[in-house]
Amino acid sequence: MQGHLKKLHTTLNAPVDYELPLGDQLIPLNPFIGKTIRLVHTGNIVCVHCNKPTKKSFNQGYCYKCFITLAQCDMCIMKPETCHFAAGTCREPVWGEQFCFKPHFVYLANSSGIKVGITRETQLPTRWIDQGAVQALPIFKVASRQISGFVEVVLAKHVSDKTSWQKMLKNDIEPVDLIAKRDELFITCALELEAIKQRFGVNSLMLLPNEPVVDIHFPVDNYPTKIKSFNFDKNPEVTGVLHGIKGQYLLLDTGVINIRKFTGYGVDFFQ
């Protein structure tokens, strides 16, 4: 089977169901756990947006032109609090209205320890799965992406906003009482959160005090103790026994590969 890679498709079951998009095909991956698979980069790459050939991929799948012109590649996507839409300098105002001015969630998750994150309303629980979180809890619903960024900045003074992907892949994780941490943050950050609400309006920020913790189980039969990462740009072939899938990573007995990193890469898949 041959095609261009896209990020892994996921469905929240116990364990998570994974599918590998390869061109127009969807290959169920869970049945391959415990079996040898082989992925070979064909040498060609296409942009995930314009579908044109590119010699190098930027920002997980874009050609250089799209990378420097698309709003979805701007720095404010990574740091929403820096949104410059109101200044009239958004790269794509229509796209910005459709993407950024929609409800977002601020959440706590446990992927390599407790962290705070944000995502669109439509991306739960996909965002948690993609980060390799074993526990997750939505704690705020906000009116826009920029507001979620301001809330995240406040909470990140007390909780990390980063994931250690190596710890996540080793499953070197202790259970966390996310509800207790949520309640603690509600109290600790009350004044700063109220200031955000006063700035953007009473309906801009909604506390979620009654949401349940979501537990996520990944299809892994053996976690790595050492992390060796494959890179198609350095070695076009990845072969090994598939021991599991976590986040956007395939865990092989020979190393791990981040499928999302190589979005748009042409690949042959062998079983």
Side-chain angles (χ1 to χ4, degrees):
M1 289 173 276
Q2 184 181 98
H4 291 94
L5 290 175
K6 298 177 184 176
K7 71 184 288 286
L8 298 173
H9 285 202
T10 61
T11 303
L12 182 60
N13 286 319
V16 174
D17 280 319
Y18 278 94
E19 294 175 306
L20 175 68
L22 201 59
D24 296 327
Q25 306 170 85
L26 279 176
I27 304 170
L29 286 178
N30 292 45
F32 289 104
I33 293 176
K35 300 178 181 178
T36 298
I37 62 170
R38 182 170 167 240
L39 294 90
V40 180
H41 175 35
T42 61
N44 65 81
I45 309 170
V46 298
C47 175
V48 295
H49 182 77
C50 70
N51 208 39
K52 293 180 179 178
T54 177
K55 292 182 179 180
K56 185 177 180 180
S57 176
F58 297 85
N59 199 30
Q60 298 181 334
Y62 297 89
C63 66
Y64 184 70
K65 181 180 179 181
C66 288
F67 173 63
I68 63 173
T69 57
L70 295 176
Q72 59 198 275
C73 295
D74 203 348
M75 182 56 69
C76 53
I77 295 299
M78 295 299 295
K79 296 184 176 182
E81 67 277 8
T82 65
C83 173
H84 46 95
F85 185 94
T89 54
C90 180
R91 294 178 179 181
E92 299 175 278
V94 173
W95 183 90
E97 289 177 346
Q98 296 172 345
F99 180 87
C100 299
F101 292 91
K102 299 292 184 182
H104 279 62
F105 281 101
V106 181
Y107 61 84
L108 296 178
N110 183 12
S111 50
S112 60
I114 192 168
K115 73 178 291 290
V116 60
I118 64 175
T119 192
R120 284 173 291 159
E121 183 176 30
T122 56
Q123 288 300 299
L124 294 183
T126 301
R127 178 65 171 165
W128 300 334
I129 295 172
D130 286 350
Q131 291 185 332
V134 296
Q135 299 170 280
L137 177 69
I139 60 174
F140 293 101
K141 184 177 182 179
V142 301
S144 72
R145 188 170 183 84
Q146 184 185 37
I147 297 171
S148 72
F150 283 121
V151 174
E152 184 180 37
V153 167
V154 169
L155 300 184
K157 297 175 184 177
H158 310 278
V159 177
S160 175
D161 59 353
K162 301 290 190 299
T163 295
S164 169
W165 63 274
Q166 295 95 336
K167 287 184 64 176
M168 180 271 288
L169 292 180
K170 292 178 181 178
N171 205 38
D172 183 14
I173 309 166
E174 294 295 329
V176 177
D177 190 339
L178 295 182
I179 289 178
K181 192 62 180 180
R182 174 201 65 193
D183 295 344
E184 176 187 322
L185 290 169
F186 282 174
I187 296 171
T188 303
C189 303
L191 291 178
E192 290 174 284
L193 294 171
E194 182 60 29
I196 294 173
K197 185 182 292 188
Q198 291 297 319
R199 176 180 175 183
F200 292 99
V202 66
N203 295 320
S204 63
L205 175 61
M206 180 189 306
L207 278 67
L208 302 175
N210 301 312
E211 292 292 319
V213 173
V214 176
D215 293 313
I216 302 173
H217 304 277
F218 293 92
V220 181
D221 66 15
N222 190 21
Y223 285 98
T225 55
K226 295 182 179 180
I227 302 297
K228 173 189 174 184
S229 185
F230 287 112
N231 186 335
F232 280 136
D233 294 325
K234 297 180 179 179
N235 185 346
E237 182 171 335
V238 173
T239 303
V241 176
L242 181 64
H243 279 308
I245 314 147
K246 193 176 188 188
Q248 282 286 313
Y249 286 84
L250 304 186
L251 311 182
L252 308 172
D253 64 336
T254 51
V256 304
I257 183 165
N258 182 352
I259 294 298
R260 188 169 193 172
K261 179 179 179 179
F262 298 104
T263 302
Y265 279 59
V267 165
D268 282 314
F269 178 86
F270 301 94
Q271 48 183 298

